[in-house]
Amino acid sequence: MPKTSARLLALLSLLQTRRNWSGEDLAARLQISARTVRRDVDRLRELGYPITTFKGPDGGYRLDAGSQLPPLLFDDDQAVALAVALQTATATGVGIEEAAARALNTVRQVMPARLRRRIDTFQVTAVERPATRPDAQVDSRVLMALSAAVHAGEVLRFDYAAASPPESDDGGVLTPPRRVEPHHLVTWGGRWYLVAWDLDREDWRTFRADRITPRSPTGPRFTPRELPGGDVAAFVTGRFRGFDGSGDWLCRGEVILGLPAADVSRYTRDGVVEELDPDRCRLVLGSWSWVGLAAAVGRFDADIEVVGPAELREAFAHLARRYAKAASGAPAAPPPDRRDSARPW
């Protein structure tokens, strides 16, 4: 590649990495003079790249969005990242598999042969996690509407379908509209969630996006509230683990299992496994409820010794009674009403 062309590509790559560049910084990074920077910027403009000049103590350059799409530039790492993102789009839960495949094919056609060969050698199949029932796909238009409301800081009104919607006397589904201040759109475990302040319930809520049907128009603008803890990742983790604000599980217990530590650690994601002897191990595990914790431990086909606390022992006794009732063939009790639960599932 001619030296000038390589320099132009390096300059364009730098302009894409951040908003503003001073001429002095660009000259230092490229090891050229400020005059050469100005000349190369003019060449890129002739190729269709909308590079604007901004005023200031040093002056500088900015790559803006234009009315036409000029040739794109990807380095090797960006090309691999793009191939990974588009090939794993089937696991996003948005239903954009066909569009992602077409996008990858379009980008591939305009790439240099060297990068095209590298992408062609990278073939990955995204396999979604096993589930008892498939997760509902989220309409990409819903995600765009939610994202726009978050970005604009506008009150959002939407209908929210319950997991098992109750029916009214005339057969209609009761789905009262919700009014929220949307703050973040996040993904967790293959699903999309909206983190928002519920205006009617005056509390933070986490809503599944596949159950949201936005209403229009959106409401007035609002001043964003401080998210508990200040970090959305920690907040969402806490919502799935518990509600005490610590980001840790509400319930944590300790047991001794009659299994080798290597066998238990293979199927333990958040727990701590300690080897006691070749056939026994200590397991410290957490859950959002004591019954849920006991059930998680019970999935191991082994003898269980509860070290503590007492709540975990009581949960095992509760499950024992429940399982005995199930084994006797007695009918199950109706589930509690969780229509207004703060839990995201």
Side-chain angles (χ1 to χ4, degrees):
M1 181 182 292
K3 185 176 180 181
T4 301
S5 299
R7 194 176 65 242
L8 288 177
L9 292 177
L11 173 59
L12 182 57
S13 181
L14 288 175
L15 290 172
Q16 292 177 152
T17 58
R18 74 186 196 203
R19 179 67 172 166
N20 295 326
W21 281 92
S22 69
E24 182 179 343
D25 288 344
L26 288 173
R29 291 289 295 269
L30 297 172
Q31 298 182 345
I32 57 178
S33 66
R35 180 180 178 182
T36 303
V37 170
R38 291 193 295 271
R39 188 166 58 244
D40 287 348
V41 167
D42 289 338
R43 289 194 179 102
L44 289 176
R45 286 169 174 162
E46 292 174 357
L47 293 173
Y49 291 95
I51 302 175
T52 60
T53 304
F54 65 88
K55 297 180 180 180
D58 300 321
Y61 303 96
R62 175 188 304 125
L63 180 62
D64 288 335
S67 58
Q68 295 181 340
L69 183 65
L72 299 176
L73 172 67
F74 297 101
D75 59 30
D76 288 12
D77 291 338
Q78 290 173 325
V80 173
L82 183 64
V84 171
L86 292 175
Q87 290 188 45
T88 57
T90 55
T92 61
V94 188
I96 57 172
E97 297 86 349
E98 182 182 351
R102 287 189 284 109
L104 180 59
N105 185 58
T106 299
V107 173
R108 179 188 173 279
Q109 291 179 7
V110 298
M111 280 186 172
R114 175 179 57 83
L115 290 184
R116 192 183 309 124
R117 284 194 298 270
R118 185 168 183 181
I119 286 181
D120 290 344
T121 60
F122 186 88
Q123 297 294 327
V124 59
T125 300
V127 179
E128 298 187 53
R129 58 176 182 163
T132 55
R133 62 174 180 237
D135 288 341
Q137 292 287 312
V138 184
D139 192 326
S140 60
R141 292 170 295 183
V142 171
L143 291 182
M144 292 300 296
L146 300 181
S147 179
V150 171
H151 180 74
E154 296 177 343
V155 172
L156 183 66
R157 298 182 305 119
F158 58 86
D159 295 319
Y160 193 60
S164 299
E167 294 189 353
S168 63
D169 294 337
D170 61 357
V173 177
L174 300 174
T175 53
R178 309 297 285 263
R179 296 186 312 116
V180 303
E181 296 176 353
H183 283 258
H184 294 85
L185 185 62
V186 301
T187 61
W188 176 283
R191 285 177 173 168
W192 291 82
Y193 296 90
L194 175 69
V195 178
W197 174 264
D198 193 309
L199 292 170
D200 296 321
R201 289 153 182 82
E202 297 185 345
D203 193 12
W204 291 96
R205 289 290 191 270
T206 306
F207 301 95
R208 278 181 48 174
D210 59 280
R211 297 179 183 170
I212 292 177
T213 303
R215 292 192 176 193
S216 60
T218 53
R221 292 183 179 272
F222 62 89
T223 301
R225 302 170 189 265
E226 183 69 22
L227 192 69
D231 181 75
V232 65
F235 175 82
V236 172
T237 300
R239 282 276 141 164
F240 282 91
R241 289 185 174 178
F243 297 98
D244 61 353
S246 66
D248 197 5
W249 294 112
L250 282 181
C251 306
R252 185 176 291 276
E254 181 178 339
V255 300
I256 295 177
L257 294 176
L259 284 174
D263 293 344
V264 175
S265 60
R266 190 181 309 162
Y267 302 101
T268 302
R269 206 167 135 196
D270 271 344
V272 178
V273 182
E274 177 189 358
E275 182 177 6
L276 298 179
D277 57 50
D279 297 319
R280 292 192 315 144
C281 67
R282 185 189 312 274
L283 172 64
V284 179
L285 196 63
S287 180
W288 57 271
S289 75
W290 291 112
V291 172
L293 178 57
V297 174
R299 66 194 173 100
F300 293 101
D301 186 12
D303 291 335
I304 303 170
E305 176 188 342
V306 179
V307 177
E311 291 86 350
L312 182 56
R313 289 192 184 91
E314 295 171 2
F316 274 108
H318 176 74
L319 282 181
R321 292 190 296 269
R322 177 177 292 173
Y323 291 159
K325 184 177 180 181
S328 69
D337 185 3
R338 292 194 177 97
R339 276 174 287 170
D340 193 34
S341 173
R343 294 197 181 281
W345 49 81

